[in-house]
Amino acid sequence: VTAEDLVQKKAGIATAPPIDVAVDVTVRGGTARAEARVTGIGQSPLTLSGEMPLAIDAATLAPRPRQTTPVRARANWQGDMQPLMQVLPFPDQRVTGQGRIDVAVTGTLEAPIASGEISIRGGSYEHLVYGTLIRNLDLVANVEGGRTVRLTLSGTDAGSGSISARGQADLTDLAGQPITFNLEIRSMTLVRRDDITASASGRIGYEGTLTQGRLEGRIETDQVEVRLVDQLPPSVVDLEVVELRGGEELEPAAYTPKDDAARADGDGGIV
């Protein structure tokens, strides 16, 4: 199956560059194989491949995956994050930087083994509604030894603030083994808008499993500024009106309260 020049549109206007997609799926000799290729979202295409042995159900004659037979899957991509973000459903958020996906899964469906890395380096994150900005963004998630996934994040704001995070989890037993995650912000500007600016510092930590755990920490605001200007945000410009007649500028007319309303005469006319 192939599709060329796929364009995402909103209100009839293209919101992202066109992409090409090619998918090939075959079943032969009791094994299902799939290959996919997406171009137009970075310097290199996104490639997906997989191989899974199948067994035929004697009762229904329907194919089903073998739980104890080796499987194989891989995903690869590398390039600038901006074209990739344009095709994702996050119109109010922007991510730049060099992204990389290099993930593989081997083993069996019963006991899969993951390896590889997903990363963003030298990038930035911006939330267009709240004005949150993270520069010098480094985000790395990698799997070691086929079982432990580790996450690290670091970045700064437009000033002296910073953010960092670390976490890890055991992929072989997410329901039973502990998951740890720690986030720290220092004088980080979290909201930057025309009407409000807020920065905060603190730490938050989580330890537990997917079903139960403990979240604790402390976040304190460093500075909060709220600006109200004539009940309008300061980004609204007050334009001065200049009246012209015959190419000459007229003097502004004197204002009186009666100018705000018209008076009706006895016959229903406006005076």
Side-chain angles (χ1 to χ4, degrees), residues 13-60:
I13 301 176
T15 58
I19 61 175
D20 299 333
V21 180
V23 180
D24 181 26
V25 179
T26 60
V27 179
R28 183 179 303 169
T31 302
R33 295 179 175 85
E35 303 281 343
R37 183 182 180 92
V38 182
T39 57
I41 56 173
Q43 300 168 346
S44 63
L46 169 64
T47 60
L48 306 169
S49 62
E51 182 177 300
M52 180 173 61
L54 299 175
I56 303 300
D57 191 303
T60 63

Side-chain angles (χ1 to χ4, degrees), residues 220-242:
E220 295 182 351
T221 56
D222 296 320
Q223 185 175 8
V224 178
E225 294 183 3
V226 179
R227 295 176 291 274
L228 299 177
V229 181
D230 296 332
Q231 298 182 346
L232 291 175
S235 58
V236 176
V237 180
D238 185 11
L239 299 178
E240 295 185 3
V241 178
V242 177

Side-chain angles (χ1 to χ4, degrees), residues 116-136:
E117 178 182 285
I118 299 176
S119 63
I120 302 174
R121 299 183 186 275
S124 66
Y125 168 84
E126 182 178 9
H127 197 293
L128 302 181
V129 176
Y130 298 108
T132 307
L133 177 64
I134 302 177
R135 293 177 174 174
N136 304 311

Side-chain angles (χ1 to χ4, degrees), residues 14-260:
T15 58
I19 61 175
D20 299 333
V21 180
V23 180
D24 181 26
V25 179
T26 60
V27 179
R28 183 179 303 169
T31 302
R33 295 179 175 85
E35 303 281 343
R37 183 182 180 92
V38 182
T39 57
I41 56 173
Q43 300 168 346
S44 63
L46 169 64
T47 60
L48 306 169
S49 62
E51 182 177 300
M52 180 173 61
L54 299 175
I56 303 300
D57 191 303
T60 63
L61 299 181
R64 57 182 178 81
R66 296 176 182 268
Q67 298 294 321
T68 58
T69 305
V71 297
R72 178 186 61 84
R74 192 171 192 91
N76 289 96
W77 177 80
Q78 183 173 318
D80 190 348
M81 287 295 300
Q82 188 169 357
L84 179 61
M85 289 296 298
Q86 288 178 329
V87 301
L88 296 179
F90 305 112
D92 57 355
Q93 301 175 61
R94 292 179 180 174
V95 177
T96 65
Q98 286 298 308
R100 180 172 178 259
I101 300 175
D102 185 10
V103 178
V105 177
T106 57
T108 65
L109 291 179
E110 193 174 70
I113 301 173
S115 62
E117 178 182 285
I118 299 176
S119 63
I120 302 174
R121 299 183 186 275
S124 66
Y125 168 84
E126 182 178 9
H127 197 293
L128 302 181
V129 176
Y130 298 108
T132 307
L133 177 64
I134 302 177
R135 293 177 174 174
N136 304 311
L137 174 64
D138 284 334
L139 172 64
V140 180
N142 55 39
V143 181
E144 300 177 0
R147 56 181 299 162
T148 303
V149 57
R150 287 184 169 85
L151 171 72
T152 60
L153 178 148
S154 64
T156 61
D157 63 6
S160 59
S162 65
I163 182 173
S164 61
R166 291 183 177 274
Q168 71 175 49
D170 189 335
L171 295 178
T172 62
D173 188 7
L174 291 175
Q177 294 297 321
I179 299 171
T180 60
F181 179 79
N182 293 282
L183 172 70
E184 181 178 5
I185 55 176
R186 296 182 178 179
S187 303
M188 183 74 182
T189 302
L190 302 178
V191 180
R192 183 186 287 104
R193 292 165 48 102
D194 287 340
D195 53 353
I196 184 171
T197 301
S199 61
S201 300
R203 296 182 180 183
I204 293 179
Y206 174 83
E207 184 171 356
T209 65
L210 288 180
T211 56
Q212 62 180 1
R214 181 182 179 87
L215 178 67
E216 62 181 359
R218 183 181 180 89
I219 299 292
E220 295 182 351
T221 56
D222 296 320
Q223 185 175 8
V224 178
E225 294 183 3
V226 179
R227 295 176 291 274
L228 299 177
V229 181
D230 296 332
Q231 298 182 346
L232 291 175
S235 58
V236 176
V237 180
D238 185 11
L239 299 178
E240 295 185 3
V241 178
V242 177
E243 296 186 18
L244 299 176
R245 180 180 296 173
E248 296 183 0
E249 181 176 342
L250 301 179
E251 292 293 331
Y255 169 80
T256 59
K258 69 178 181 179
D259 294 335
D260 288 340

Side-chain angles (χ1 to χ4, degrees), residues 6-18 86 91:
L6 296 177
V7 178
Q8 186 179 26
K9 292 185 177 180
K10 183 177 182 180
I13 301 176
T15 58
Q86 288 178 329

